[in-house]
Amino acid sequence: KMNLMSGNRVLVVDAGGRGNAIAHAFARSGSVERVYVAPGNAGSEMMDKCRLAAIEGKVPRSISELLAFVKKERIDLTFVGPEGYLSEGIVDIFQEDGQRILGPKREAAVLENSKCQTKDLLKKLSVPVPPCQNFSDPQEAKEYVQQRCSEEPGRGLVVKADGLAAGKGSIICTTPEEAASAIERIMVSPRLFGGAGDRIEIEDRLEGRELMFFALSDGHTVQAMQSALDYKQAFSPDESVAIRLFNKLAGNPNQDNNPNTGGMGGFSPHPWLDEELTERIMKKIALPTVRGFKESSGQEYRGVIYFGLMISEDREPAVLEINVRLGDPEAEVILPRLQTDFYQLSMAVVDGRLDELPLQWSDDFCLGICAISGRAIKPLSSTGPERPGYPGEHYTNMPINGLERVDPEVIVYHNGTAWGTDSAGNRRLYTTGGRVFTLVARGKSLAEARAKAYENIKRVRFNGMRYRKDIGLRYI
Ligand code: GLY
């Protein structure tokens, strides 16, 4: 097909740093002439070939606006980043209109948006999961906690809201009292995650090490992707003073709890995901899940599938959760290492020809540091209490300085930025979110990538900017 070769136009649907990284991957393809991003951010326009999507000066956001954009601009392929659009059925709607789009359909997005249904399916398929049960009645859930904890005193439990909760829907409990309180807060009052907590899943807390595993599926062929070691907690373990201050300002009862975030950085390749473990995960988890999903639903799973796993001491994996997309910030350190042409690869997934295109990766290391909106000097315009910073309440609309001093070979993927005008009339970049940007450096070794990343991030500043100082440190 001639149109595979050159001059193709792509739309990436994503607002964050992951979207910048996906757009950048497409832009590196010789087959691609233009990459549009929607809703995107200021970083979406800073890479070669990349532009923010707009119809009559307005950024398309709803599925119908995105579809109108795709038709007007004669887009050849749409790639969807976040789970929300997938759960709303963007893939079904685009396909009904004859558009090429990469991502799972609405029915497949259930693997992320219902933890209860997913665990039921995995159990049926004999894919390993922790011992777990679903509940829609809080009283029955509390009785289960009592029973589980009397069988084995000291057992840890995880209480999870069934639905989408922006990655915050899991509460780890070390006592039956904590688990009962989590059930109450999710299901009864204050209903921490709204309707997502109408049902819950309670699972045993397994021992081991957590691992994110990414694979690409066209419905028949499943290929393992490379992974990243990620840093979920907001602070490094030695920042006890900062952790206490955060919890005090956030009004959290547990002063020593290091809060979870969507991610504070990471690096790829993953230091202990070797070939043997990859094969084991493919055989015991990824392949049976994709094939079993097809047998039980009649539908092919097309797109990225992302398993949150616990790996036991004897290297046995169990599925804690499934996501139907790439991770953010994992994509920012994984995708720059992909050598396979991303447009050709995406077309192979959409057309069910993934077997023709083996994934090839650079041996380089990529290390990414997320700069987040931390505790800031309070703006004069602000009244009210001091804000603890991301992942809690934080200020936005802070001007960002120094991005022009970053080395040209170091990549800055933007998570939350926008252009604005300062009081002197100068066009400047401003922060718009908790995570602001992910700076990614590359090296022949992890130490080289790490040194480059930390040297460069020091050149950038905004009021309240904070980042973890220990990304990759234990592994160099
Ligand atoms: N970084 C975790 C996620 O994207 O879900």
Side-chain angles (χ1 to χ4, degrees):
K1 292 178 198 117
M2 271 311 288
N3 79 334
L4 270 178
M5 301 316 292
S6 67
N8 293 289
R9 299 154 72 77
V10 177
L11 172 66
V12 175
V13 179
D14 197 304
R18 170 182 53 204
N20 277 209
I22 294 166
H24 188 208
F26 278 121
R28 294 196 298 277
S29 165
S31 310
V32 170
E33 155 198 291
R34 171 73 71 227
V35 185
Y36 289 100
V37 186
N41 57 43
S44 310
E45 301 211 276
M46 292 184 182
M47 298 169 295
D48 190 29
K49 301 185 192 175
C50 300
R51 296 278 182 283
L52 275 172
I55 295 190
E56 285 153 17
K58 194 169 157 273
V59 176
R61 286 176 190 276
S62 68
I63 294 178
S64 57
E65 287 165 351
L66 291 163
L67 183 58
F69 176 83
V70 156
K71 288 171 150 173
K72 179 164 179 282
E73 293 295 331
R74 289 169 290 102
I75 298 295
D76 297 288
L77 174 70
T78 300
F79 189 111
V80 187
E83 64 278 13
Y85 287 106
L86 297 167
S87 291
E88 285 171 37
I90 189 172
V91 173
D92 311 60
I93 294 165
F94 272 46
Q95 284 182 353
E96 276 158 30
D97 198 82
Q99 305 297 333
R100 276 208 160 93
I101 181 164
L102 196 156
K105 289 190 177 183
R106 187 190 343 238
E107 209 179 325
V110 164
L111 292 174
E112 178 159 352
N113 70 33
S114 172
K115 294 194 169 66
C116 294
Q117 281 189 58
T118 299
K119 285 291 178 5
D120 286 344
L121 174 69
L122 295 175
K123 282 184 192 174
K124 202 175 90 191
L125 299 172
S126 304
V127 171
V129 295
C132 57
Q133 286 276 327
N134 303 332
F135 297 94
S136 41
D137 176 62
Q139 198 49 42
E140 283 173 26
K142 288 178 191 170
E143 281 160 23
Y144 174 78
V145 166
Q146 283 309 329
Q147 178 215 327
R148 216 58 205 147
C149 292
S150 64
E151 281 165 17
E152 193 191 310
R155 183 199 297 284
L157 293 172
V158 189
V159 180
K160 296 181 172 180
D162 177 55
L164 294 180
K168 295 177 190 136
S170 295
I171 301 180
I172 296 170
C173 307
T174 52
T175 64
E177 292 73 32
E178 275 177 38
S181 154
I183 293 166
E184 187 73 17
R185 282 178 291 139
I186 294 176
M187 301 185 86
V188 184
S189 165
R191 293 175 57 79
L192 288 176
F193 313 111
D198 287 344
R199 281 203 294 172
I200 58 166
E201 193 226 322
I202 302 180
E203 67 182 39
D204 286 13
R205 172 103 179 123
L206 297 185
E207 300 281 318
R209 298 194 282 184
E210 278 191 46
L211 174 74
M212 310 288 134
F213 187 84
F214 298 91
L216 200 51
S217 165
D218 70 355
H220 326 269
T221 303
V222 185
Q223 289 201 45
M225 295 178 66
Q226 295 264 310
S227 186
L229 189 124
D230 67 324
Y231 290 72
K232 279 206 173 54
Q233 291 183 305
F235 299 91
S236 57
D238 62 0
E239 292 180 282
S240 51
V241 175
I243 293 171
R244 252 176 255 135
L245 181 55
F246 175 91
N247 286 310
K248 189 172 156 226
L249 294 174
N252 294 337
N254 182 352
Q255 299 282 296
D256 296 312
N257 178 53
N258 191 349
N260 266 332
T261 70
M264 294 292 291
F267 64 88
S268 180
H270 193 285
W272 46 269
L273 177 59
D274 54 30
E275 228 166 274
E276 190 272 337
L277 185 56
T278 300
E279 268 168 39
R280 191 181 283 221
I281 295 167
M282 286 297 287
K283 189 165 140 254
K284 294 195 169 174
I285 289 172
L287 286 164
T289 301
V290 169
R291 289 184 184 147
F293 175 77
K294 185 175 173 192
E295 273 154 33
S296 71
S297 71
Q299 288 218 16
E300 288 178 342
Y301 187 98
R302 290 199 179 170
V304 176
I305 186 161
Y306 154 6
F307 296 90
L309 305 173
M310 187 64 87
I311 311 292
S312 70
E313 209 172 320
D314 49 359
R315 290 165 67 86
E316 288 301 333
V319 180
L320 305 181
E321 60 173 48
I322 292 179
N323 297 308
V324 295
R325 54 180 173 79
L326 285 165
D328 190 341
E330 292 84 354
E332 287 97 305
V333 292
I334 295 173
L335 289 180
R337 299 184 49 242
L338 181 67
Q339 289 175 327
T340 313
D341 182 296
F342 198 59
Y343 185 77
Q344 306 289 348
L345 180 63
S346 299
M347 291 302 268
V349 171
V350 172
D351 296 341
R353 300 180 284 104
L354 184 57
D355 57 328
E356 295 171 13
L357 229 79
L359 294 188
Q360 303 208 305
W361 301 91
S362 158
D363 291 332
D364 286 357
F365 287 79
C366 280
L367 183 135
I369 310 166
C370 297
I372 59 109
S373 301
R375 199 165 57 91
I377 300 166
K378 218 165 127 173
L380 290 171
S381 58
S382 166
T383 54
E386 197 181 348
R387 299 180 187 174
Y390 175 81
E393 294 282 311
H394 52 268
Y395 292 104
T396 56
N397 207 28
M398 298 295 184
I400 306 170
N401 291 304
L403 278 172
E404 70 289 349
R405 290 199 290 274
V406 171
D407 292 340
E409 78 272 17
V410 169
I411 315 168
V412 181
Y413 293 127
H414 294 217
N415 298 85
T417 62
W419 289 106
T421 310
D422 68 14
S423 52
N426 300 312
R427 202 163 170 260
R428 300 184 66 170
L429 265 182
Y430 289 87
T431 66
T432 60
R435 281 192 293 193
V436 175
F437 64 84
T438 304
L439 180 143
V440 179
R442 205 177 171 107
K444 289 283 164 228
S445 66
L446 182 63
E448 186 191 333
R450 182 174 195 278
K452 230 190 265 179
Y454 276 103
E455 193 186 300
N456 275 274
I457 202 163
K458 286 190 201 127
R459 302 175 195 169
V460 190
R461 264 193 307 278
F462 58 84
N463 181 6
M465 174 169 151
R466 190 176 73 75
Y467 53 88
R468 274 182 69 154
K469 310 286 189 299
D470 64 335
I471 308 294
L473 181 61
R474 280 182 49 212
Y475 299 89
I476 56 175

